[in-house]
mmCIF file of all heavy atoms in Angstrom:
data_model
loop_
_atom_site.group_PDB
_atom_site.id
_atom_site.type_symbol
_atom_site.label_atom_id
_atom_site.label_comp_id
_atom_site.label_asym_id
_atom_site.label_seq_id
_atom_site.Cartn_x
_atom_site.Cartn_y
_atom_site.Cartn_z
ATOM 1 N N ILE U 403 -9.042 9.228 5.380
ATOM 2 C CA ILE U 403 -8.746 10.450 4.624
ATOM 3 C C ILE U 403 -7.273 10.409 4.249
ATOM 4 O O ILE U 403 -6.418 10.131 5.096
ATOM 5 C CB ILE U 403 -9.058 11.724 5.446
ATOM 6 C CG1 ILE U 403 -10.531 11.761 5.868
ATOM 7 C CG2 ILE U 403 -8.670 12.979 4.677
ATOM 8 C CD1 ILE U 403 -11.535 11.869 4.740
ATOM 9 N N GLY U 404 -6.977 10.691 2.989
ATOM 10 C CA GLY U 404 -5.597 10.694 2.521
ATOM 11 C C GLY U 404 -4.757 11.742 3.239
ATOM 12 O O GLY U 404 -5.229 12.856 3.516
ATOM 13 N N LEU U 405 -3.526 11.395 3.536
ATOM 14 C CA LEU U 405 -2.614 12.262 4.291
ATOM 15 C C LEU U 405 -2.550 13.703 3.781
ATOM 16 O O LEU U 405 -2.583 14.635 4.585
ATOM 17 C CB LEU U 405 -1.213 11.633 4.324
ATOM 18 C CG LEU U 405 -0.142 12.375 5.114
ATOM 19 C CD1 LEU U 405 -0.532 12.515 6.571
ATOM 20 C CD2 LEU U 405 1.186 11.634 5.006
ATOM 21 N N PRO U 406 -2.493 13.950 2.472
ATOM 22 C CA PRO U 406 -2.420 15.349 2.015
ATOM 23 C C PRO U 406 -3.647 16.186 2.381
ATOM 24 O O PRO U 406 -3.612 17.408 2.314
ATOM 25 C CB PRO U 406 -2.306 15.235 0.487
ATOM 26 C CG PRO U 406 -1.879 13.846 0.217
ATOM 27 C CD PRO U 406 -2.397 13.015 1.347
ATOM 28 N N PHE U 407 -4.736 15.514 2.797
ATOM 29 C CA PHE U 407 -5.986 16.220 3.074
ATOM 30 C C PHE U 407 -6.324 16.286 4.567
ATOM 31 O O PHE U 407 -7.394 16.750 4.942
ATOM 32 C CB PHE U 407 -7.128 15.544 2.300
ATOM 33 C CG PHE U 407 -6.861 15.449 0.838
ATOM 34 C CD1 PHE U 407 -6.435 14.262 0.266
ATOM 35 C CD2 PHE U 407 -6.991 16.558 0.017
ATOM 36 C CE1 PHE U 407 -6.173 14.166 -1.084
ATOM 37 C CE2 PHE U 407 -6.726 16.477 -1.332
ATOM 38 C CZ PHE U 407 -6.310 15.286 -1.893
ATOM 39 N N TRP U 408 -5.423 15.805 5.411
ATOM 40 C CA TRP U 408 -5.656 15.839 6.854
ATOM 41 C C TRP U 408 -5.778 17.282 7.347
ATOM 42 O O TRP U 408 -5.143 18.195 6.817
ATOM 43 C CB TRP U 408 -4.516 15.164 7.599
ATOM 44 C CG TRP U 408 -4.485 13.669 7.484
ATOM 45 C CD1 TRP U 408 -5.277 12.881 6.704
ATOM 46 C CD2 TRP U 408 -3.597 12.794 8.160
ATOM 47 N NE1 TRP U 408 -4.928 11.569 6.850
ATOM 48 C CE2 TRP U 408 -3.896 11.472 7.739
ATOM 49 C CE3 TRP U 408 -2.572 12.989 9.067
ATOM 50 C CZ2 TRP U 408 -3.215 10.368 8.215
ATOM 51 C CZ3 TRP U 408 -1.885 11.884 9.536
ATOM 52 C CH2 TRP U 408 -2.215 10.587 9.116
ATOM 53 N N GLY U 409 -6.582 17.479 8.379
ATOM 54 C CA GLY U 409 -6.692 18.775 9.034
ATOM 55 C C GLY U 409 -7.531 19.798 8.289
ATOM 56 O O GLY U 409 -7.525 20.974 8.638
ATOM 57 N N ARG U 410 -8.265 19.381 7.293
ATOM 58 C CA ARG U 410 -9.074 20.307 6.500
ATOM 59 C C ARG U 410 -10.573 20.164 6.738
ATOM 60 O O ARG U 410 -11.371 20.798 6.058
ATOM 61 C CB ARG U 410 -8.779 20.121 5.012
ATOM 62 C CG ARG U 410 -7.346 20.409 4.647
ATOM 63 C CD ARG U 410 -7.170 20.355 3.158
ATOM 64 N NE ARG U 410 -5.768 20.416 2.768
ATOM 65 C CZ ARG U 410 -5.371 20.369 1.523
ATOM 66 N NH1 ARG U 410 -6.246 20.280 0.538
ATOM 67 N NH2 ARG U 410 -4.082 20.419 1.243
ATOM 68 N N GLY U 411 -10.961 19.294 7.670
ATOM 69 C CA GLY U 411 -12.371 19.134 8.010
ATOM 70 C C GLY U 411 -13.138 18.128 7.171
ATOM 71 O O GLY U 411 -14.343 17.959 7.361
ATOM 72 N N TYR U 412 -12.466 17.454 6.252
ATOM 73 C CA TYR U 412 -13.165 16.498 5.390
ATOM 74 C C TYR U 412 -13.776 15.353 6.198
ATOM 75 O O TYR U 412 -14.913 14.945 5.942
ATOM 76 C CB TYR U 412 -12.230 15.915 4.325
ATOM 77 C CG TYR U 412 -11.805 16.893 3.277
ATOM 78 C CD1 TYR U 412 -10.479 17.311 3.184
ATOM 79 C CD2 TYR U 412 -12.719 17.399 2.349
ATOM 80 C CE1 TYR U 412 -10.075 18.209 2.207
ATOM 81 C CE2 TYR U 412 -12.328 18.295 1.367
ATOM 82 C CZ TYR U 412 -11.001 18.696 1.296
ATOM 83 O OH TYR U 412 -10.606 19.574 0.331
ATOM 84 N N ALA U 413 -13.038 14.799 7.136
ATOM 85 C CA ALA U 413 -13.534 13.664 7.914
ATOM 86 C C ALA U 413 -14.747 14.069 8.741
ATOM 87 O O ALA U 413 -15.748 13.333 8.783
ATOM 88 C CB ALA U 413 -12.430 13.096 8.806
ATOM 89 N N THR U 414 -14.684 15.218 9.379
ATOM 90 C CA THR U 414 -15.809 15.678 10.193
ATOM 91 C C THR U 414 -17.042 15.919 9.331
ATOM 92 O O THR U 414 -18.148 15.477 9.672
ATOM 93 C CB THR U 414 -15.435 16.956 10.961
ATOM 94 O OG1 THR U 414 -14.317 16.680 11.804
ATOM 95 C CG2 THR U 414 -16.600 17.451 11.794
ATOM 96 N N GLU U 415 -16.858 16.593 8.215
ATOM 97 C CA GLU U 415 -17.988 16.870 7.320
ATOM 98 C C GLU U 415 -18.619 15.570 6.818
ATOM 99 O O GLU U 415 -19.844 15.426 6.800
ATOM 100 C CB GLU U 415 -17.525 17.721 6.137
ATOM 101 C CG GLU U 415 -18.642 18.119 5.198
ATOM 102 C CD GLU U 415 -18.193 18.995 4.049
ATOM 103 O OE1 GLU U 415 -17.030 19.450 4.035
ATOM 104 O OE2 GLU U 415 -19.027 19.218 3.152
ATOM 105 N N ALA U 416 -17.788 14.620 6.427
ATOM 106 C CA ALA U 416 -18.294 13.338 5.936
ATOM 107 C C ALA U 416 -18.981 12.561 7.050
ATOM 108 O O ALA U 416 -20.036 11.943 6.831
ATOM 109 C CB ALA U 416 -17.150 12.524 5.325
ATOM 110 N N ALA U 417 -18.408 12.571 8.254
ATOM 111 C CA ALA U 417 -18.997 11.842 9.379
ATOM 112 C C ALA U 417 -20.363 12.420 9.745
ATOM 113 O O ALA U 417 -21.321 11.667 9.960
ATOM 114 C CB ALA U 417 -18.064 11.868 10.584
ATOM 115 N N VAL U 418 -20.471 13.734 9.807
ATOM 116 C CA VAL U 418 -21.749 14.374 10.130
ATOM 117 C C VAL U 418 -22.800 14.007 9.077
ATOM 118 O O VAL U 418 -23.943 13.663 9.413
ATOM 119 C CB VAL U 418 -21.578 15.905 10.251
ATOM 120 C CG1 VAL U 418 -22.926 16.609 10.278
ATOM 121 C CG2 VAL U 418 -20.767 16.250 11.497
ATOM 122 N N ALA U 419 -22.421 14.039 7.811
ATOM 123 C CA ALA U 419 -23.356 13.695 6.737
ATOM 124 C C ALA U 419 -23.778 12.226 6.823
ATOM 125 O O ALA U 419 -24.960 11.902 6.661
ATOM 126 C CB ALA U 419 -22.725 13.991 5.375
ATOM 127 N N MET U 420 -22.834 11.341 7.096
ATOM 128 C CA MET U 420 -23.144 9.917 7.159
ATOM 129 C C MET U 420 -24.018 9.604 8.365
ATOM 130 O O MET U 420 -24.934 8.786 8.277
ATOM 131 C CB MET U 420 -21.861 9.097 7.182
ATOM 132 C CG MET U 420 -22.085 7.620 6.968
ATOM 133 S SD MET U 420 -22.757 7.197 5.345
ATOM 134 C CE MET U 420 -21.267 6.639 4.532
ATOM 135 N N VAL U 421 -23.775 10.258 9.489
ATOM 136 C CA VAL U 421 -24.616 10.071 10.670
ATOM 137 C C VAL U 421 -26.049 10.515 10.363
ATOM 138 O O VAL U 421 -27.012 9.807 10.673
ATOM 139 C CB VAL U 421 -24.040 10.834 11.888
ATOM 140 C CG1 VAL U 421 -25.071 10.960 13.000
ATOM 141 C CG2 VAL U 421 -22.782 10.137 12.395
ATOM 142 N N GLY U 422 -26.193 11.669 9.743
ATOM 143 C CA GLY U 422 -27.521 12.145 9.356
ATOM 144 C C GLY U 422 -28.231 11.171 8.435
ATOM 145 O O GLY U 422 -29.424 10.879 8.601
ATOM 146 N N TYR U 423 -27.509 10.637 7.461
ATOM 147 C CA TYR U 423 -28.071 9.662 6.539
ATOM 148 C C TYR U 423 -28.487 8.387 7.291
ATOM 149 O O TYR U 423 -29.565 7.846 7.052
ATOM 150 C CB TYR U 423 -27.062 9.335 5.439
ATOM 151 C CG TYR U 423 -27.601 8.400 4.398
ATOM 152 C CD1 TYR U 423 -28.459 8.858 3.395
ATOM 153 C CD2 TYR U 423 -27.276 7.045 4.415
ATOM 154 C CE1 TYR U 423 -28.969 7.998 2.446
ATOM 155 C CE2 TYR U 423 -27.786 6.175 3.471
ATOM 156 C CZ TYR U 423 -28.633 6.654 2.482
ATOM 157 O OH TYR U 423 -29.143 5.794 1.554
ATOM 158 N N GLY U 424 -27.619 7.940 8.188
ATOM 159 C CA GLY U 424 -27.921 6.727 8.945
ATOM 160 C C GLY U 424 -29.184 6.845 9.776
ATOM 161 O O GLY U 424 -30.010 5.924 9.811
ATOM 162 N N PHE U 425 -29.361 7.975 10.430
ATOM 163 C CA PHE U 425 -30.544 8.160 11.263
ATOM 164 C C PHE U 425 -31.781 8.503 10.434
ATOM 165 O O PHE U 425 -32.842 7.919 10.627
ATOM 166 C CB PHE U 425 -30.306 9.254 12.310
ATOM 167 C CG PHE U 425 -29.331 8.860 13.388
ATOM 168 C CD1 PHE U 425 -28.415 9.767 13.869
ATOM 169 C CD2 PHE U 425 -29.322 7.579 13.920
ATOM 170 C CE1 PHE U 425 -27.514 9.419 14.867
ATOM 171 C CE2 PHE U 425 -28.428 7.216 14.924
ATOM 172 C CZ PHE U 425 -27.520 8.144 15.391
ATOM 173 N N ASN U 426 -31.645 9.447 9.509
ATOM 174 C CA ASN U 426 -32.809 9.965 8.785
ATOM 175 C C ASN U 426 -33.275 9.095 7.629
ATOM 176 O O ASN U 426 -34.476 9.009 7.372
ATOM 177 C CB ASN U 426 -32.525 11.378 8.285
ATOM 178 C CG ASN U 426 -32.221 12.328 9.418
ATOM 179 O OD1 ASN U 426 -32.803 12.226 10.492
ATOM 180 N ND2 ASN U 426 -31.289 13.232 9.200
ATOM 181 N N GLU U 427 -32.358 8.476 6.926
ATOM 182 C CA GLU U 427 -32.737 7.682 5.755
ATOM 183 C C GLU U 427 -32.771 6.185 6.026
ATOM 184 O O GLU U 427 -33.598 5.474 5.464
ATOM 185 C CB GLU U 427 -31.773 7.962 4.586
ATOM 186 C CG GLU U 427 -31.708 9.430 4.174
ATOM 187 C CD GLU U 427 -33.055 9.986 3.736
ATOM 188 O OE1 GLU U 427 -33.843 9.261 3.091
ATOM 189 O OE2 GLU U 427 -33.329 11.164 4.043
ATOM 190 N N LEU U 428 -31.864 5.701 6.863
ATOM 191 C CA LEU U 428 -31.783 4.263 7.124
ATOM 192 C C LEU U 428 -32.525 3.842 8.381
ATOM 193 O O LEU U 428 -32.694 2.659 8.635
ATOM 194 C CB LEU U 428 -30.314 3.824 7.217
ATOM 195 C CG LEU U 428 -29.471 4.063 5.968
ATOM 196 C CD1 LEU U 428 -28.028 3.637 6.215
ATOM 197 C CD2 LEU U 428 -30.056 3.320 4.765
ATOM 198 N N GLY U 429 -32.953 4.805 9.190
ATOM 199 C CA GLY U 429 -33.719 4.490 10.390
ATOM 200 C C GLY U 429 -32.919 3.854 11.508
ATOM 201 O O GLY U 429 -33.477 3.155 12.359
ATOM 202 N N LEU U 430 -31.614 4.118 11.541
ATOM 203 C CA LEU U 430 -30.775 3.535 12.583
ATOM 204 C C LEU U 430 -31.065 4.177 13.937
ATOM 205 O O LEU U 430 -31.516 5.321 14.017
ATOM 206 C CB LEU U 430 -29.297 3.716 12.241
ATOM 207 C CG LEU U 430 -28.833 3.051 10.942
ATOM 208 C CD1 LEU U 430 -27.385 3.420 10.658
ATOM 209 C CD2 LEU U 430 -29.020 1.543 11.011
ATOM 210 N N ASN U 431 -30.749 3.445 14.998
ATOM 211 C CA ASN U 431 -30.868 3.967 16.361
ATOM 212 C C ASN U 431 -29.513 4.301 16.956
ATOM 213 O O ASN U 431 -29.420 5.169 17.822
ATOM 214 C CB ASN U 431 -31.569 2.944 17.260
ATOM 215 C CG ASN U 431 -31.741 3.461 18.669
ATOM 216 O OD1 ASN U 431 -32.411 4.463 18.888
ATOM 217 N ND2 ASN U 431 -31.116 2.801 19.626
#
């Protein structure tokens, strides 16, 4: 995440979405 955007929740929101995609769409364990 670019420095000007730190502390705004972008990383957490993106991580939660990517984890959901990994488990639900890609079938990861």
